[in-house]
Amino acid sequence: LTLYSNRVFVVLTQTENLGTMIQAHADSPLDAGRTSYSTRVLFGRRDDEALEVYARTLVELISKRSPTAGPLLLAISIREHSAEMFRSVMRVADATLLTALR
């Protein structure tokens, strides 16, 4: 996880390459009580919706921890998709984000 002035860059990899690049950001809601998030695959696997779930969940986590952090740029290459893997990645990302924001 690297914080830049205009975005947050996260690399999640099990294969030692960047894999799929996904951009995600919080949308400007019409209802101030609700926030929606958008994802867009910039390059890589467009047929794997699980990768976009990682991006969407990470951008939500980032937006809640640091609303001014900006959009997420995620490089992701994961061999196995499982609920346990997902929870593990989110726990590590949350801890890393908290450390980076100090």
Side-chain angles (χ1 to χ4, degrees), residues 25-82:
H25 61 89
D27 296 322
S28 299
L30 296 176
D31 178 1
R34 297 178 148 190
T35 303
S36 61
Y37 302 92
S38 297
T39 62
R40 186 174 69 136
V41 176
L42 301 176
F43 64 85
R45 295 189 58 186
R46 297 180 190 280
D47 62 338
D48 192 346
E49 292 178 2
L51 301 180
E52 290 191 64
V53 171
Y54 279 89
R56 195 251 176 242
T57 306
L58 281 169
V59 76
E60 181 178 5
L61 180 67
I62 291 165
S63 293
K64 287 181 179 178
R65 295 283 188 216
S66 179
T68 60
L72 166 70
L73 181 60
L74 173 64
I76 184 167
S77 180
I78 294 181
R79 286 188 197 118
E80 63 180 73
H81 298 296
S82 68

Side-chain angles (χ1 to χ4, degrees), residues 6-23:
N6 63 343
R7 74 186 63 247
V8 177
F9 181 53
V10 176
V11 177
L12 299 175
T13 184
Q14 292 178 321
T15 62
E16 298 182 9
N17 65 49
L18 294 178
T20 300
M21 296 289 284
I22 302 173
Q23 180 177 320

